[in-house]
Short mmCIF file of all heavy atoms in Angstrom, two decimals:
data_model
loop_
_atom_site.label_atom_id
_atom_site.label_comp_id
_atom_site.label_asym_id
_atom_site.label_seq_id
_atom_site.Cartn_x
_atom_site.Cartn_y
_atom_site.Cartn_z
N TYR A 130 1.41 14.15 3.67
CA TYR A 130 1.73 12.78 3.53
C TYR A 130 3.15 12.46 4.05
O TYR A 130 3.36 11.43 4.74
CB TYR A 130 1.58 12.32 2.07
CG TYR A 130 0.27 11.94 1.63
CD1 TYR A 130 -0.70 12.91 1.29
CD2 TYR A 130 -0.25 10.63 1.72
CE1 TYR A 130 -2.00 12.55 0.88
CE2 TYR A 130 -1.52 10.22 1.34
CZ TYR A 130 -2.39 11.24 1.02
OH TYR A 130 -3.62 10.83 0.64
N LYS A 131 4.12 13.22 3.73
CA LYS A 131 5.47 13.00 4.23
C LYS A 131 5.52 13.07 5.81
O LYS A 131 6.07 12.15 6.40
CB LYS A 131 6.44 14.08 3.66
CG LYS A 131 7.91 13.70 4.15
CD LYS A 131 8.83 14.78 3.59
CE LYS A 131 10.19 14.55 4.14
NZ LYS A 131 11.17 15.49 3.67
N ALA A 132 4.95 14.10 6.40
CA ALA A 132 4.82 14.15 7.87
C ALA A 132 4.10 12.97 8.44
O ALA A 132 4.56 12.49 9.53
CB ALA A 132 4.10 15.47 8.24
N LYS A 133 3.07 12.52 7.89
CA LYS A 133 2.32 11.32 8.39
C LYS A 133 3.20 10.11 8.25
O LYS A 133 3.22 9.28 9.20
CB LYS A 133 0.99 11.17 7.61
CG LYS A 133 0.10 10.11 8.23
CD LYS A 133 -0.28 10.43 9.70
CE LYS A 133 -0.98 11.78 9.84
NZ LYS A 133 -1.42 12.00 11.26
N SER A 134 3.91 9.96 7.18
CA SER A 134 4.77 8.88 7.02
C SER A 134 5.83 8.85 8.08
O SER A 134 6.18 7.78 8.63
CB SER A 134 5.43 8.89 5.58
OG SER A 134 6.27 7.78 5.41
N VAL A 135 6.47 9.93 8.35
CA VAL A 135 7.47 10.04 9.31
C VAL A 135 6.87 9.76 10.74
O VAL A 135 7.49 9.12 11.49
CB VAL A 135 8.19 11.47 9.34
CG1 VAL A 135 9.13 11.59 10.47
CG2 VAL A 135 8.97 11.58 8.06
N GLU A 136 5.72 10.30 11.05
CA GLU A 136 5.05 10.08 12.31
C GLU A 136 4.79 8.58 12.48
O GLU A 136 5.13 8.01 13.58
CB GLU A 136 3.78 10.86 12.36
CG GLU A 136 2.95 10.62 13.59
CD GLU A 136 1.49 11.20 13.55
OE1 GLU A 136 1.17 11.87 12.53
OE2 GLU A 136 0.86 11.05 14.56
N ILE A 137 4.27 7.94 11.55
CA ILE A 137 4.03 6.47 11.60
C ILE A 137 5.29 5.67 11.81
O ILE A 137 5.40 4.82 12.69
CB ILE A 137 3.17 5.99 10.38
CG1 ILE A 137 1.79 6.59 10.31
CG2 ILE A 137 3.08 4.46 10.34
CD1 ILE A 137 0.97 6.42 9.12
N ALA A 138 6.34 5.98 11.00
CA ALA A 138 7.60 5.29 11.12
C ALA A 138 8.13 5.52 12.54
O ALA A 138 8.62 4.44 13.17
CB ALA A 138 8.53 5.82 10.13
N ARG A 139 8.14 6.63 13.03
CA ARG A 139 8.69 6.84 14.39
C ARG A 139 7.91 6.11 15.46
O ARG A 139 8.52 5.42 16.30
CB ARG A 139 8.67 8.38 14.72
CG ARG A 139 9.16 8.80 16.06
CD ARG A 139 9.17 10.31 16.29
NE ARG A 139 7.90 10.92 15.97
CZ ARG A 139 7.68 11.84 15.02
NH1 ARG A 139 8.66 12.15 14.16
NH2 ARG A 139 6.47 12.31 14.77
N GLU A 140 6.61 6.16 15.40
CA GLU A 140 5.78 5.52 16.41
C GLU A 140 5.87 3.91 16.22
O GLU A 140 5.86 3.22 17.26
CB GLU A 140 4.36 5.95 16.32
CG GLU A 140 4.30 7.45 16.82
CD GLU A 140 2.84 7.96 16.81
OE1 GLU A 140 1.89 7.29 16.54
OE2 GLU A 140 2.82 9.26 17.18
N MET A 141 5.91 3.45 15.04
CA MET A 141 6.06 1.94 14.80
C MET A 141 7.50 1.53 15.30
O MET A 141 7.54 0.41 15.94
CB MET A 141 5.88 1.61 13.40
CG MET A 141 4.47 1.70 12.82
SD MET A 141 3.33 0.75 13.73
CE MET A 141 2.33 1.95 14.51
N PHE A 142 8.53 2.30 15.14
CA PHE A 142 9.78 1.98 15.61
C PHE A 142 9.79 1.88 17.10
O PHE A 142 10.34 0.92 17.71
CB PHE A 142 10.88 3.00 15.20
CG PHE A 142 12.23 2.68 15.74
CD1 PHE A 142 12.98 1.77 14.96
CD2 PHE A 142 12.74 3.21 16.89
CE1 PHE A 142 14.30 1.41 15.42
CE2 PHE A 142 14.06 2.87 17.24
CZ PHE A 142 14.83 2.03 16.53
N TYR A 143 9.07 2.80 17.79
CA TYR A 143 8.98 2.72 19.27
C TYR A 143 8.19 1.46 19.65
O TYR A 143 8.62 0.76 20.63
CB TYR A 143 8.24 3.95 19.80
CG TYR A 143 7.95 3.95 21.21
CD1 TYR A 143 8.99 4.18 22.13
CD2 TYR A 143 6.76 3.53 21.75
CE1 TYR A 143 8.74 4.08 23.54
CE2 TYR A 143 6.51 3.51 23.16
CZ TYR A 143 7.51 3.70 23.96
OH TYR A 143 7.33 3.69 25.34
N VAL A 144 7.04 1.16 18.99
CA VAL A 144 6.27 0.01 19.47
C VAL A 144 7.10 -1.23 19.21
O VAL A 144 7.17 -2.10 20.13
CB VAL A 144 4.92 -0.06 18.57
CG1 VAL A 144 4.19 -1.38 18.73
CG2 VAL A 144 4.00 1.05 19.00
N PHE A 145 7.78 -1.36 18.01
CA PHE A 145 8.58 -2.52 17.73
C PHE A 145 9.63 -2.70 18.78
O PHE A 145 10.02 -3.87 19.19
CB PHE A 145 9.11 -2.51 16.39
CG PHE A 145 8.10 -2.66 15.24
CD1 PHE A 145 8.39 -2.29 14.00
CD2 PHE A 145 6.75 -3.07 15.50
CE1 PHE A 145 7.43 -2.34 13.03
CE2 PHE A 145 5.82 -3.07 14.49
CZ PHE A 145 6.17 -2.78 13.23
N SER A 146 10.26 -1.59 19.17
CA SER A 146 11.35 -1.71 20.12
C SER A 146 10.86 -2.20 21.51
O SER A 146 11.73 -2.67 22.32
CB SER A 146 12.00 -0.26 20.33
OG SER A 146 11.24 0.58 21.16
#
Side-chain angles (χ1 to χ4, degrees):
Y130 273 85
K131 181 179 177 185
K133 189 59 63 180
S134 178
V135 170
E136 175 188 2
I137 291 169
R139 182 177 49 248
E140 292 181 3
M141 290 300 111
F142 183 81
Y143 176 79
V144 168
F145 294 162
S146 74

